[in-house]
Amino acid sequence: KVFASALEENNVVETLILSCYAIVDDGAFAIGSVLGRNTSIQKLQLKDIRNVREITTFFQLLQPNTSITELSLRHCSICPRGAQAIAASLKEHAKLQEFRLTDSQLSGNSLCILCHGFKQSKLQRLYLVNDDLAGAEDARHLVDMLRDCELRELYLSENELGDEGVAVLARGILAENQSLQHLDVRSNGITSTSTLCLQGLMTGSLHLVGINVSNNDLSDLGATALARGLTN
């Protein structure tokens, strides 16, 4: 509350990093109340907004903000109600270019709700890192999002999408999206099975200029498929 009071008098600070603090109930209300009216802060990082009350309170208060271009959340627990509050807020941030959600837990259909919010925003870069994304169903939510937005960069490292999820993602990007330039699927438990789909994406996409598949068990066969993709 003391910090929020000081921030209210400040119109110079452009970056606010509170990623080593646990901001609980009253703190989320105090910070959110100030940030909703703030017109100078462009980059915001927060950590440990964990329950539904904290998340809904903070993002409802943040919604009027029109200056934030980069928003980062770590160690959050997001249920469907919390996801709805985040999605509603994202739609209103016309200048928001980058959203990061890392080391977090998404319960129920939270990913689906968030993806719906992402595709109604102006995001250019999206980081969903170590958020327990897994399998084809989560990949389909991402593909649905990509169908209706102009995202340039998608970072999905340290999840468990696996071969099936990455294959769905690669085919979906090729069929549905004409804007993605960078794809990061590091540490997703994929093998040579899904590299054939990645090869097809590399060969068929006119826009993709970067792909990161490190820390996966691709084997010689997978490496050969990626090499063929590069050749073409």
Side-chain angles (χ1 to χ4, degrees):
K1 291 179 181 179
V2 172
F3 181 81
S5 178
L7 188 63
E8 194 161 19
E9 303 298 322
N10 191 300
N11 59 2
V12 177
V13 173
E14 295 182 354
T15 300
L16 179 60
I17 300 174
L18 299 175
S19 57
C20 294
Y21 299 87
I23 302 173
V24 295
D25 293 339
D26 290 344
F29 179 83
I31 296 291
S33 296
V34 172
L35 291 178
R37 302 188 298 271
N38 188 281
T39 58
S40 62
I41 290 178
Q42 299 175 21
K43 300 179 182 180
L44 175 63
Q45 295 183 23
L46 299 174
K47 177 185 176 185
D48 284 328
I49 304 180
R50 289 196 170 269
N51 65 47
V52 63
R53 177 185 167 188
E54 294 168 20
I55 290 174
T56 54
T57 296
F58 180 80
F59 278 96
Q60 285 171 357
L61 291 167
L62 186 67
Q63 195 163 323
N65 186 292
T66 59
S67 64
I68 293 178
T69 61
E70 298 180 17
L71 176 59
S72 176
L73 304 176
R74 282 189 67 216
H75 289 179
C76 295
S77 296
I78 300 175
C79 68
R81 276 184 58 202
Q84 288 172 352
I86 294 173
S89 182
L90 291 178
K91 287 191 297 183
E92 302 301 323
H93 294 302
K95 294 183 180 179
L96 190 65
Q97 299 290 300
E98 176 178 303
F99 181 81
R100 296 180 184 236
L101 181 63
T102 60
D103 304 327
S104 298
Q105 294 80 46
L106 303 175
S107 60
N109 65 335
S110 296
L111 178 62
C112 178
I113 295 169
L114 287 176
C115 285
H116 186 70
F118 294 149
K119 68 183 181 180
Q120 296 186 62
S121 70
K122 304 295 184 180
L123 285 179
Q124 299 292 299
R125 297 177 300 279
L126 175 60
Y127 293 75
L128 299 173
V129 177
N130 193 25
D131 294 329
D132 293 329
L133 306 187
E137 183 176 359
D138 284 351
R140 289 188 188 100
H141 292 315
L142 296 170
V143 170
D144 180 65
M145 170 195 70
L146 290 168
R147 182 181 298 119
D148 298 312
C149 72
E150 296 184 359
L151 202 69
R152 297 291 190 269
E153 303 172 25
L154 180 59
Y155 300 86
L156 302 170
S157 60
E158 299 178 50
N159 287 294
E160 289 296 332
L161 289 173
D163 285 326
E164 189 175 2
V166 169
V168 168
L169 185 62
R171 288 194 294 263
I173 293 171
L174 187 58
E176 306 288 354
N177 183 274
Q178 296 299 317
S179 62
L180 197 70
Q181 297 174 358
H182 293 271
L183 176 65
D184 185 342
V185 287
R186 287 174 294 156
S187 304
N188 265 276
I190 64 178
T191 70
S192 60
T193 302
S194 57
T195 55
L196 293 175
C197 292
L198 292 173
Q199 176 189 340
L201 175 61
M202 295 164 71
T203 302
S205 175
L206 299 177
H207 303 279
L208 195 69
V209 296
I211 184 167
N212 194 331
V213 293
S214 59
N215 201 29
N216 287 293
D217 188 16
L218 302 181
S219 76
D220 290 344
L221 182 61
T224 300
L226 294 178
R228 289 192 182 117
L230 289 171
T231 301
N232 294 307

